Amino acid sequence: MVKSYVYTLVQSLTNAEVEHCHDFIRSPFITKQFRDADSVSNLLQRLSSADIPEKAVLNQQLFPEEGHKTAKLDKLMNELASGIKQFLLWQKYMKPNHQFEQKLDWVETIRERGLIKRYQQELKSLVKYVDRNARESTLWYYRKFQLAYEIHETESIRNNAKGDLYIPEVIDRLHAYFYVQRLELLNLLFLQKKVTSLEIPDHTHATTEGLIPAPIKANYPILLIAEAIHQQLITPLPKPVAFNTIMDLLKQHELSLESSVLQHFYAYLRNICILLIEDGHTAFTETLHQIQKNNLEKGYLFYQGKLSPSAYMSVTRIAIQIGQYDWALQFINDYKDRVMDSGDEVENLYYLNKALCWFAKGLYEKALQIIPPHFADVTYLIYSKRLELKIYFELNADLLVYRMDAYKMYLSRASKKYLPASVKEPEKNFVNILLQIVQSPLRDKERFKKIRDRIHEKKHIADRDWLMEIVERRI
């Protein structure tokens, strides 16, 4: 059957949801919306089965009197789509994480019905609910604003020309939510700008410095931390002192922040740490390793219980850089089944990470045997090809020159869509410098000094540290 909207919608339902949706469609209140609820339920049953007939066959089964005309079937499909939409929205709204919305809607409902005494009781209860065991987040700030606005609405209705109508509190809550949300989006944007070329309009990244009222900033830890991160992301290179300030702020307010907020903030902290390391502050490599270990234990490196492939690779690489080979191997084995991917890609990533460890330990032939030849993700394919060249170099293998030529050809033929310039340039610079090293006489120290200078001059070059290391061996 052609994958129509209603077909894909039905296929997205779990078996339990299909059963609940049947009950929902047949419920007396919902049934009134359909011309024939039994037919709608019957269609749901047919579209959720393993063997789905073609539309023409389905039309013949349900409306044999219509012949080739599908108008009635189309209307029935639209009714089913409407029923599933209502069911899924109801199901989402009734989930525990929407209790605040349910309570606020109920408060508004009884206010609109003039049940003022009950309204005041429910409003007090809602205030307590929001503040009970509260941990700060952007969503929490938004809810505090919604709650303040509801109180303002009440004050406005019974306005007797006295008081401030709760407006200062509403504005304060609005400021907190607005600036936190704005900084959150700006920080994501500027972090993206660190890894790709972006043109950002001036009005978009207008500085927040001086705009946020001091009392608000002092009362909202998320604002303090988000702005400190922002100041480092908008500069060409972050400062070590600022990194330590952010780290101290996170430790100071950790217990008052939602885990999702801490997860985002630590992600920024790790990225700032990487930028510092790339700028030559190598002492931060150990710091990054400790942060990663802490984030693994507390779950900040995971998304829905899974570890991203990039995080899996990053944790391995950082541990290797500080000589923690055994820890890295243990990590690779322990977290293999928690990587956010499936099938051969995870298996390939597992072996690539192990190969990195064997290479770092000088077990070159062992590493060479397990390097995966294929990757769906071009990032890891490039990494594996480069690792292979490094191994052939360390083994002084005759195949090295041929492999380098093949790699250069691969880079030159790859389209910009497949391999963007931001990836291609560092790789080309790497293989060109490696070729110069290979072609240079071992006794020509002056030539190796010139190659070292060229490595320093290259703004974008892959495996800079390894290239510098092998050049230094020859000087």
Side-chain angles (χ1 to χ4, degrees), residues 217-348:
K217 195 187 300 185
N219 291 331
Y220 297 97
I222 295 181
L223 269 177
L224 282 172
I225 300 168
E227 190 177 38
I229 290 170
H230 183 68
Q231 292 305 319
Q232 296 314 301
L233 292 176
I234 62 175
T235 58
L237 288 169
K239 296 178 176 60
V241 174
F243 172 90
N244 293 327
T245 299
I246 296 168
M247 186 76 142
D248 290 342
L249 282 171
L250 278 172
K251 289 178 180 178
Q252 180 184 345
H253 298 289
E254 190 165 10
L255 295 178
S256 67
L257 302 179
E258 278 279 1
S259 59
S260 60
V261 174
L262 289 165
Q263 187 174 36
H264 281 110
F265 281 160
Y266 272 109
Y268 286 121
L269 196 67
R270 294 192 302 269
N271 279 288
I272 290 172
C273 208
I274 290 168
L275 292 171
L276 285 166
I277 293 166
E278 290 175 349
D279 190 43
H281 299 280
T282 54
F284 279 89
T285 311
E286 173 65 36
T287 303
L288 180 55
H289 176 61
Q290 294 303 324
I291 292 172
Q292 288 176 332
K293 285 176 66 177
N294 170 274
N295 290 179
L296 275 170
E297 291 170 8
K298 295 189 175 180
Y300 301 150
L301 270 176
F302 298 93
Y303 176 73
Q304 294 182 346
K306 292 288 187 177
L307 196 63
S308 73
S310 59
Y312 189 54
M313 173 75 82
S314 176
V315 172
T316 302
R317 287 178 57 202
I318 295 302
I320 289 170
Q321 285 180 35
I322 61 169
Q324 294 291 325
Y325 308 132
D326 292 337
W327 186 94
L329 284 168
Q330 188 67 47
F331 162 78
I332 292 165
N333 289 322
D334 289 349
Y335 289 89
K336 175 190 173 185
D337 295 333
R338 296 189 68 179
V339 178
M340 192 188 300
D341 217 318
S342 60
D344 292 341
E345 199 74 353
V346 168
E347 197 72 13
N348 288 341

Side-chain angles (χ1 to χ4, degrees), residues 356-373:
L356 288 170
C357 282
W358 297 137
F359 176 82
K361 296 181 81 169
L363 302 172
Y364 304 125
E365 291 182 352
K366 193 172 181 179
L368 188 60
Q369 290 172 5
I370 62 171
I371 293 179

Side-chain angles (χ1 to χ4, degrees), residues 341-342 344-346 348 373-381 410 418:
D341 217 318
S342 60
D344 292 341
E345 199 74 353
V346 168
N348 288 341
H374 304 292
F375 269 103
D377 190 316
V378 67
T379 303
Y380 305 119
L381 179 63
Y410 166 79
Y418 177 72

